[in-house]
Amino acid sequence: MTVEEFILKIEAEFPDMEQGKLLPDSVFREVMNWNSINALILIAMVDTEYDVILTADDLRSSVIVNDIFSIIQTRHT
Amino acid sequence: MALVSVENVKFSGLAACVPQFEYNNIDYDLLSKEDNELLIKTIGVEKRRMAGPHITASDMCQMAAEKLLSQMSVNASEIDILIFVSQSRDYVLPCTAIVLQDKMGLPKTSLAFDIPLGCSGYVYGIYVLGSLLSKGQLKKGLLLVGDISSLSSCYLDPSTFPLFGDSGTATILEYDPAAKPMWFNMQSDGSGWEAISIPEGGTRNYPKEDSFLIKEVAPGIKRSRFHLQLNGIDVFNFTLREVAPNINVLLKHLSKTTEDYQYYLFHQANKLMNETIRKKLKLVPEKVPYTLHKYGNTSSGSIPLTMVSELRKELEEKPLSLIFSGFGVGLSWASAAIETDKIICPELIEYPNLGDKTPQPKIEDIKSFK
């Protein structure tokens, strides 16, 4: 599991987002047109793909894509 | 894990009622067209029925119950117990069930009381009513389950207003020593109560004048302390964590697999949430009926409404093995494994908007009574 694969999975869920624009150090809220529904879509995808449940605190404490990916790596068994 | 069973009780009839007035979420002017489209696509609620200020959950339950009793040729005088499951009671006190006992002509020898639960309420209601019938001292029970959540969500709060629809349902359970056992897995977690709540109006925060003042609580979200508040991410986390394991524990306890059941009736919470649970359980879409797109999240009424709307013919014509799963406000969640055998299931009823008592709510009215 790599951050690049994670980004591909995000792009698959957000087809309206410009493909290739999201990078490991991107501020995801800026690139992903962040709103509460998109937050739920991301949480659902991470749960389905990695069996990890991102909480509101996880998202609050994350700024760039790599922050979220680190949380997933830490909890993924 | 509260793995419990109910013996000697037959699931014999089911009816459901929705208000005639239909609200289309594309018309919601607090969000842009793009945001409305994203919401409809992701959350799955395109249209829903709204009761407006003139129709209560109990009115719709009563209409469903009267239709069901007449189709089953059961007289109201034969009902030994009536339970009303709802978060939308007629009065602060007394219990709505007791008011209904009189309105519906049930005998004074009958038991009547409410169970204030929402999303998990149908499963809880079947368990409680079934348990009380299983001894055979009470023969026939009426379970009335429904909510008008649209009334408690603020028009100016896009995090709640587009989600809810209204309905009332009626289920008849009967003592029957030949019935197959029903099995349940019941759970609760009060630590998350605030995620879905109306913070003021009860005795903990008794209503005062400013309980009804609408204030901006977050950017773009306005509501009063007497309106429903919903923390979407917390609720989402809870359902992803708890619902599938709860069902898996029940199946394992019964030495069954997901293949052994024809249909899975989930509380209609939202499409993204329900689909994620469906995938976790590896269920094919054909086994998981939806009414979210037509009727929205109908709280306690969602499971019986979905059964009537989507499975009526099959429920009437052949035996079915079903799994129910309700989850939400409380936080409370429960699943049930129930076998039905050609039940009576009248067509979905519409509660009319006609006449002086129930004028059709207009969009302006919806805004004003929010």
Side-chain angles (χ1 to χ4, degrees):
Chain A
M1 98 187 224
T2 67
V3 70
E4 287 74 21
E5 287 166 1
F6 176 51
I7 287 173
L8 286 176
K9 289 185 202 290
I10 296 178
E11 286 181 338
E13 291 297 321
F14 297 92
D16 296 346
M17 193 174 69
E18 203 183 321
Q19 308 290 292
K21 200 175 171 192
L22 196 68
L23 301 167
D25 59 358
S26 298
V27 176
F28 63 89
R29 283 184 185 79
E30 290 171 7
V31 183
M32 287 172 71
N33 174 30
W34 195 250
N35 59 36
S36 58
I37 294 204
N38 287 342
L40 297 184
I41 294 172
L42 181 72
I43 292 168
M45 183 276 279
V46 169
D47 179 61
T48 303
E49 297 287 335
Y50 300 100
D51 204 19
V52 169
I53 297 177
L54 294 172
T55 66
D57 284 345
D58 293 335
L59 292 171
R60 256 194 299 272
S61 66
S62 300
V63 180
I64 60 173
V65 175
N66 248 331
D67 295 340
I68 303 177
F69 187 66
S70 304
I71 293 169
I72 296 170
Q73 272 185 309
T74 311
R75 288 199 212 137
H76 183 71
T77 45
Chain B
M1 288 286 182
L3 284 156
V4 287
S5 67
V6 165
E7 277 85 22
N8 314 322
V9 174
K10 181 175 150 196
F11 188 114
S12 29
L14 173 67
C17 175
V18 292
Q20 208 174 1
F21 177 75
E22 186 175 66
Y23 184 91
N24 193 325
N25 272 343
I26 206 73
D27 300 329
Y28 185 47
D29 59 7
L30 266 263
L31 291 174
S32 67
K33 187 166 177 279
E34 290 73 28
D35 281 351
N36 273 337
E37 283 170 353
L38 177 70
L39 194 109
I40 291 167
K41 184 172 150 235
T42 311
I43 305 302
V45 183
E46 186 183 351
K47 295 169 180 168
R48 55 220 170 80
R49 303 300 182 91
M50 293 174 86
H54 307 286
I55 306 168
T56 68
S58 78
D59 291 338
M60 292 187 286
C61 288
Q62 183 178 348
M63 189 173 270
E66 281 167 355
K67 173 96 182 190
L68 183 60
L69 289 167
S70 101
Q71 273 212 17
M72 290 177 72
S73 307
V74 172
N75 193 296
S77 64
E78 295 173 64
I79 301 292
D80 299 312
I81 170 166
L82 184 163
I83 299 178
F84 178 66
V85 180
S86 179
Q87 300 274 14
S88 320
R89 60 196 181 221
D90 283 18
Y91 307 103
V92 173
L93 63 86
C95 272
T96 305
I98 305 164
V99 179
L100 283 166
Q101 169 270 328
D102 174 61
K103 276 167 97 175
M104 292 184 60
L106 268 59
K108 286 187 201 169
T109 48
S110 60
L111 289 79
F113 60 89
D114 292 359
I115 299 178
L117 282 169
C119 324
S120 65
Y122 190 62
V123 183
Y124 265 82
I126 290 178
Y127 174 61
V128 172
L129 181 59
S131 300
L132 294 170
L133 291 167
S134 65
K135 277 184 173 178
Q137 295 164 334
L138 305 166
K139 296 283 190 276
K140 285 189 170 71
L142 186 55
L143 182 69
L144 302 185
V145 181
D147 273 299
I148 46 166
S149 313
S150 73
L151 201 59
S152 45
S153 43
C154 183
Y155 188 85
L156 304 172
D157 181 355
S159 72
T160 59
F161 184 77
L163 305 180
F164 297 101
D166 304 331
S167 73
T169 70
T171 304
I172 290 188
L173 303 180
E174 289 178 84
Y175 175 72
D176 178 359
K180 289 182 177 162
M182 302 173 174
W183 275 93
F184 302 83
N185 185 5
M186 322 284 290
Q187 294 187 255
S188 317
D189 180 5
S191 72
W193 73 268
E194 265 182 301
I196 311 171
S197 58
I198 296 175
E200 290 186 11
T203 55
R204 176 69 60 194
N205 299 306
Y206 204 67
K208 45 193 186 298
E209 258 176 67
D210 73 355
S211 300
F212 307 98
L213 276 181
I214 293 176
K215 298 176 194 157
E216 184 152 43
V217 292
I221 295 180
K222 291 181 182 160
R223 61 171 175 250
S224 79
R225 305 269 300 158
F226 194 60
H227 278 123
L228 183 78
Q229 60 177 34
L230 191 71
N231 183 324
I233 290 184
D234 288 355
V235 176
F236 205 69
N237 281 180
F238 147 69
T239 49
L240 294 185
R241 208 172 47 236
E242 300 289 357
V243 177
N246 170 280
I247 294 168
N248 282 328
V249 165
L250 179 69
L251 294 175
K252 193 170 168 220
H253 182 77
L254 299 173
S255 309
K256 301 272 193 188
T257 70
T258 51
E259 292 302 307
D260 294 316
Y261 295 89
Q262 284 110 319
Y263 292 107
Y264 288 73
L265 279 302
F266 290 109
H267 164 58
Q268 302 289 293
N270 78 55
K271 186 177 158 197
L272 184 66
M273 193 139 73
N274 287 42
E275 281 293 279
T276 309
I277 295 166
R278 180 182 70 76
K279 289 174 198 159
K280 269 181 188 287
L281 292 165
K282 299 188 173 59
L283 300 172
V284 293
E286 296 72 39
K287 281 184 181 259
V288 185
Y290 276 98
T291 47
L292 258 175
H293 52 296
K294 292 189 278 196
Y295 303 121
N297 175 337
T298 45
S299 185
S300 61
S302 64
I303 293 171
L305 174 62
T306 302
M307 287 167 78
V308 172
S309 166
E310 305 304 301
L311 301 179
R312 193 178 81 81
K313 274 265 172 278
E314 284 188 74
L315 284 163
E316 285 210 307
E317 287 168 6
K318 59 182 190 191
L320 290 176
S321 298
L322 305 171
I323 296 285
F324 299 167
S325 171
F327 43 88
V329 59
L331 300 169
S332 168
W333 66 109
S335 59
I338 288 175
E339 316 258 343
T340 60
D341 188 3
K342 296 182 191 166
I343 69 166
I344 305 283
C345 189
E347 277 192 46
L348 184 66
I349 305 156
E350 283 195 332
Y351 201 101
N353 299 317
L354 307 169
D356 292 345
K357 276 190 172 172
T358 52
Q360 166 132 345
K362 297 184 180 64
I363 300 298
E364 296 69 41
D365 292 344
I366 290 172
K367 289 182 189 181
S368 66
F369 74 73
K370 292 297 147 198

